[in-house]
Amino acid sequence: MRPEPHPMTPEPYRVRSRRPDRADTVTLTLEPVQGVCPPFVPGQFTMLYAPGVGEIPISISGRARSGGYVQTIRAVGAVSGALCRKRRGEIVGLRGPYGTGWDMSAAAGLDVVVAAGGLGLAPLRPVVRDLARHASRYGRVSVIVGARTPATVIYPRELARWRDDHGIDVQVTVDHPDRAWKGPVGLVTRLIDRIVFDPRHAFAFICGPDAMIKATAAELVRRGVRPGRLAVLLERNMKCGVGRCGHCQLGPLFVCVDGPVVTYDRAAPLLAVREL
Amino acid sequence: MPRPGDLVERDFPASAPNQLWVADLTYIHTWSGFVYAAFVIDVYSRMIVGWRLAGHLRTDLPLDALEMAIWRRGGTVNGLVHHSDRGCQGGFNLSIRYTERLADAGAPHLSSPAGRAVVCERRGFPSRRCSGGRGYPMDAVVMDSLEPLVTELRSRGFTVVGPVARNGAIRMDEVSSAAELPRGKGDQQEPGRYRLTERDDDMIFDFAASPDSAKRYTQPPRQTLVRMREETVEEVEPEAPLVALLGVRPCDLAALAVQDRVFLGGRHPDPAYRRRREALFLVTVNCAVPGGTCFCVSMGTGPRASTGFDLALTELAAPHRFLIEAGSERGAEVIEALPHVPAVQHDLVAAEAVSRTAAEHMGRQVETEGIQEWLPEAHDSPRWNEVASRCLACTNCTMVCPTCFCTTMEDTTDLGSGTAERIERWDSCFTLEFSELNGSPVRGSGAGRYRQWLTHKFATWFDQFGTSGCVGCGRCITWCPVGIDVTEELANLR
């Protein structure tokens, strides 16, 4: 029998495919060198290890047809940069999946608003795919996305497909438009005016920077959506993903094990405290 | 209300129902937090006659289990002997309401003296073996020298680590003979101040917590966890040497229990921690002379250990001797192998007096009532900025704290072989890097970082691990270079 593994020991995974998205993001498909990917719930993340460089949490954006994890990484630091440079066939370490996932059943029968800020669309991708696949289970579905520039909007082709093939109301806004941009400009909260949902019978999935989460959730609550019907995905510094390094604390929460997905009634009082 | 004595004497006979009940508490980690369970067992049939589960550890919990037991046995239990250990706050014995309820129902409440509390395993029930009166000997014994103990532990393969006076402080280090232990050394501990003092006596342990807790033996300051080269991952075998910690204090035993919850109580237990923890033989010393920064009485962790040790020593004077009690089976085996005499009433009374005097001389105190609720609510207090104006963010408090568990990872690559290593080392929430997110720290101000540490330690630790993160050892006060005193800050924040 295999001895009890240490929670910090990664499994070797091979890069099966690498797709540069736009600007500075890359989407990798990762498969274990041996065996198959463990099951995951949308919203969960893995700890991805670039050998010799470091390890960071990355959300799972879906499962490839081959069975591998699809994970989108933006090169912002040493570790994410090293992961983004990994080529097909190269090895990374992977632990997980970890954390809480999006509760799709809580949205059943309700209008659904999916709100993403920047790379926040990555953990929401499997949510939208589920909404598209099982449209009859939900009411009206809207996806609103905010990004810094048109070039930093991830999954542009899928956004178009969700809109054209699945009849989902997809709206995208940017802070800094380029000449070709014809869409809205400004914060993602401004898109709430442009979508149709019944606030008393609506559920929202929200992911983005803290400020985006707070602004979006506050606006939805102001319109009458219950805080318990807002699922938010929080981000904090994580070194371990298993509640032992202490870095990702947010008040009583270890974001890595008690989150990253929590309902807003729980998150709101914590996010309201500066530097918590 | 005086605490009843021990009339069971580890003999658990019962020839009929309702003659002898035993009770205990335990806790279970679940996905939604700690759940506490109280049980009352009738020794005759070993039937669980009362039980109760709760998310807290208040008196209501054992009381409800007792109510159920009394109800199931018809409301009165005349002649019953009820036995339990001296657990913790809200447990069976320290609860006046519990004892009163038993008296109402016609049963005297009999508890084990501290140190005899553990009957077959820590926090366990008497096993079938014990109920037949065949458990290991728990009687206290007296020895006049520690030399045989050191020799015996070494002969069993343990490296004996005990206090030694060095560089103006008490440190924990390997000793090969009891002669290397300090004699007549005391200490002065005040905020930001630690001094060794000389006394004109032969007492070995009359000082308070040294800067070294047991933490480095369970959670090394720096350890290589894993090596990876291409697709080969090698888990580094943890070093888990057999170590006997001689002179670990009751507060540090409590800290080990806290660490157990951190590293073993969750969904991702740490097998390396478990191995190191199991490799420890714990010889605790009940404190006689608390330091100026001690507040274990406030935190309910001392000055006398009741559980979590293999052997407990109380050092007695005139004549100089040691009262020794076993807290585990292997502890009892060690005692058997040593020259000793059974303790007499006089020794037990003297040991009680040592602990009572120590409890009366705490250097500091903390009012813990309701702290879990009010401290997080105090996040806007101007006091945080005042503390931050003095705090150097030097991380000393987190390094000397016996329960601070935070770590970070270092990554290296061997240029020759291309093997990458992951090294885990102690980290501190006082550094800016600790909370860094997307290029800037979440807790950029000193006030935010001090608030995180203090609030975590005294309040949110309960949410995460079902216990306080503070054991009242006072090290963070003594070793703070500017003398910031958590007890003073809590009093001011309240």
Side-chain angles (χ1 to χ4, degrees):
Chain A
M1 204 181 85
R2 197 183 152 177
E4 185 182 12
H6 195 283
M8 293 298 285
T9 302
E11 293 285 334
Y13 273 60
R14 198 181 299 281
V15 177
R16 162 123 179 170
S17 71
R18 174 184 190 273
R19 192 187 71 213
D21 287 329
R22 294 230 215 140
D24 48 2
T25 65
V26 167
T27 296
L28 302 179
T29 301
L30 301 170
E31 288 177 1
V33 170
Q34 288 184 328
V36 295
C37 288
F40 77 97
V41 181
Q44 285 192 302
F45 63 94
T46 67
M47 295 299 296
L48 285 190
Y49 171 50
V53 186
E55 194 183 47
I56 51 172
I58 299 290
S59 289
I60 303 177
S61 295
R63 196 183 272 284
R65 248 180 231 129
S66 63
Y69 292 142
V70 175
Q71 303 202 260
T72 299
I73 305 155
R74 174 165 286 159
V76 289
V79 184
S80 55
L83 289 169
C84 283
R85 286 191 298 275
K86 289 288 172 195
R87 293 165 195 282
R88 185 161 175 231
E90 290 194 304
I91 300 289
V92 298
L94 185 149
R95 295 187 294 120
Y98 294 134
T100 57
W102 303 106
D103 182 2
M104 297 306 296
S105 66
L110 302 172
D111 287 352
V112 179
V113 178
V114 176
L119 203 59
L121 187 56
L124 287 168
R125 177 177 177 265
V127 170
V128 182
R129 285 163 70 102
D130 185 85
L131 294 169
R133 198 177 306 128
H134 305 110
S136 62
R137 288 183 198 165
Y138 307 98
R140 284 163 290 208
V141 175
S142 315
V143 176
I144 53 176
V145 178
R148 263 177 302 142
T149 64
T152 58
V153 178
I154 59 169
Y155 310 141
R157 279 194 215 150
E158 288 201 81
L159 287 170
R161 218 165 33 236
W162 294 335
R163 181 189 298 130
D164 300 340
D165 299 353
H166 295 283
I168 293 174
D169 185 5
V170 177
Q171 307 261 354
V172 181
T173 180
V174 298
D175 296 334
H176 307 290
D178 56 16
R179 287 200 186 139
W181 183 255
K182 297 196 175 56
V185 174
L187 297 177
V188 72
T189 45
R190 293 183 56 187
L191 297 178
I192 295 172
D193 275 335
R194 302 167 67 121
I195 57 174
V196 181
F197 64 99
D198 175 359
R200 281 163 306 152
H201 299 98
F203 196 94
F205 298 93
I206 308 169
C207 182
D210 278 9
M212 176 270 174
I213 288 176
K214 282 197 276 189
T216 308
E219 183 59 25
L220 290 169
V221 169
R222 197 181 66 77
R223 285 165 193 249
V225 184
R226 282 190 234 156
R229 283 187 176 164
L230 304 174
V232 302
L233 190 145
L234 302 170
E235 190 184 12
R236 283 294 179 273
N237 186 346
M238 290 181 198
K239 296 287 184 192
C240 74
V242 291
R244 65 184 268 127
C245 80
H247 284 248
C248 68
Q249 288 179 77
L250 176 66
L253 305 182
F254 285 116
V255 171
C256 64
V257 291
D258 301 314
V261 177
V262 296
T263 50
Y264 193 62
D265 51 349
R266 226 171 147 203
L270 304 175
L271 292 176
V273 179
R274 211 176 135 257
E275 294 197 353
L276 189 63
Chain B
M1 178 173 289
R3 201 143 50 180
D6 182 14
L7 298 185
V8 177
E9 296 282 348
R10 308 158 334 280
D11 193 19
F12 291 92
S15 56
N18 297 344
Q19 284 185 353
L20 176 61
W21 288 358
V22 292
D24 202 1
L25 290 168
T26 188
Y27 56 87
I28 306 141
H29 187 266
T30 70
W31 278 43
S32 54
F34 281 95
V35 173
Y36 300 90
F39 303 96
V40 180
I41 289 182
D42 188 326
V43 169
Y44 172 68
S45 59
R46 308 180 64 75
M47 174 188 263
I48 297 177
V49 287
W51 64 86
R52 188 72 177 178
L53 291 169
H56 60 77
L57 199 49
R58 292 189 293 271
T59 312
D60 298 354
L61 171 62
L63 201 58
D64 286 344
L66 178 65
E67 284 296 348
M68 176 178 171
I70 294 170
W71 170 77
R72 292 220 332 178
R73 291 300 168 90
T76 53
V77 282
N78 283 322
L80 169 77
V81 173
H82 181 278
H83 180 87
S84 64
D85 66 24
R86 288 182 181 176
C88 51
Q89 92 278 357
F92 288 99
N93 284 284
L94 302 185
S95 159
I96 290 166
R97 282 168 61 202
Y98 192 86
T99 308
E100 284 174 350
R101 181 66 191 94
L102 269 166
D104 284 351
H109 181 215
L110 307 166
S111 68
S112 304
R116 297 177 173 191
V118 181
V119 175
C120 240
E121 51 183 24
R122 285 171 206 158
R123 296 191 162 273
F125 279 108
S127 70
R128 203 165 280 280
R129 246 175 89 205
C130 274
S131 62
R134 300 244 172 243
Y136 56 83
M138 291 297 297
D139 285 332
V141 303
V142 170
M143 292 193 278
D144 56 11
S145 164
L146 292 180
E147 197 60 60
L149 176 61
V150 173
T151 306
E152 175 65 20
L153 290 170
R154 284 167 62 86
S155 77
R156 286 171 178 254
F158 290 101
T159 298
V160 178
V161 170
V164 291
R166 182 191 299 150
N167 299 334
I170 300 290
R171 305 302 306 266
M172 293 295 277
D173 205 349
E174 181 173 357
V175 293
S176 51
S177 156
E180 294 166 39
L181 300 171
R183 290 260 169 179
K185 299 280 187 201
D187 58 9
Q188 273 184 352
Q189 298 198 35
E190 291 302 331
R193 183 181 162 84
Y194 179 100
R195 293 288 183 278
L196 269 193
T197 56
E198 300 283 343
R199 278 191 328 268
D200 188 20
D201 63 39
D202 277 342
M203 300 298 275
I204 294 178
F205 296 109
D206 277 359
F207 44 79
S210 85
D212 302 315
S213 69
K215 181 164 82 171
R216 66 175 54 245
Y217 298 97
T218 50
Q219 189 196 8
R222 196 179 161 82
Q223 55 174 330
T224 302
L225 292 182
V226 66
R227 295 194 182 92
M228 187 164 173
R229 184 168 176 275
E230 292 298 321
E231 55 192 69
T232 307
V233 176
E234 178 209 349
E235 203 168 275
V236 176
E237 186 80 2
E239 284 182 29
L242 289 174
V243 172
L245 290 178
L246 171 60
V248 59
R249 299 302 174 138
C251 56
D252 288 334
L253 289 181
L256 287 173
V258 172
Q259 275 203 319
D260 288 350
R261 292 182 175 217
V262 172
F263 288 110
L264 302 176
R267 269 166 266 169
H268 305 278
D270 179 342
Y273 174 87
R274 193 195 311 277
R275 282 187 56 182
R276 284 189 296 267
R277 184 74 168 83
E278 287 169 355
L280 288 185
F281 187 99
L282 297 168
V283 184
T284 193
V285 172
N286 292 316
C287 284
V289 185
T293 57
C294 287
F295 55 103
C296 64
V297 167
S298 296
M299 305 315 294
T301 61
R304 186 176 178 81
S306 62
T307 187
F309 54 81
D310 293 296
L311 292 173
L313 307 184
T314 308
E315 188 176 21
L316 304 172
H320 188 222
R321 64 202 191 282
F322 303 89
L323 181 80
I324 305 190
E325 295 156 285
S328 71
E329 198 146 0
R330 58 183 189 161
E333 283 169 21
V334 169
I335 286 185
E336 285 297 297
L338 301 175
H340 63 265
V341 294
V344 295
Q345 188 67 15
H346 174 68
D347 301 312
L348 298 172
V349 169
E352 284 278 356
V354 165
S355 296
R356 193 171 55 245
T357 308
E360 286 163 0
H361 287 83
M362 287 289 115
R364 295 221 156 11
Q365 62 171 339
V366 168
E367 175 53 70
T368 56
E369 180 68 32
I371 197 165
Q372 191 187 349
E373 286 78 38
W374 71 255
L375 184 54
E377 295 295 318
H379 57 78
D380 274 339
S381 169
R383 190 76 199 173
W384 300 115
N385 285 321
E386 196 285 320
V387 187
S389 71
R390 290 176 285 140
C391 173
L392 307 175
C394 70
T395 79
N396 261 18
C397 49
T398 52
M399 297 295 109
V400 292
C401 178
T403 66
C404 271
F405 60 85
C406 290
T407 51
T408 192
M409 300 299 291
E410 285 177 9
D411 291 277
T412 62
T413 310
D414 182 272
L415 290 177
S417 65
T419 301
E421 267 190 2
R422 306 218 72 206
I423 299 155
E424 189 179 66
R425 65 165 173 81
W426 291 358
D427 199 6
S428 170
C429 55
F430 281 92
T431 70
L432 277 175
E433 299 77 22
F434 188 85
S435 63
E436 187 188 293
L437 187 64
N438 299 323
S440 62
V442 171
R443 290 184 280 274
S445 73
R449 281 172 275 153
Y450 189 83
R451 185 184 64 190
Q452 162 63 24
W453 180 69
L454 196 73
T455 309
H456 185 216
K457 192 66 57 183
F458 284 88
T460 51
W461 210 290
F462 281 99
D463 300 290
Q464 297 164 353
F465 302 110
T467 179
S468 175
C470 177
V471 295
C473 70
R475 290 185 178 94
C476 59
I477 308 172
T478 300
W479 296 97
C480 175
V482 295
I484 294 172
D485 178 347
V486 287
T487 67
E488 185 188 332
E489 296 312 323
L490 288 168
N492 285 326
L493 283 159
R494 180 179 273 275

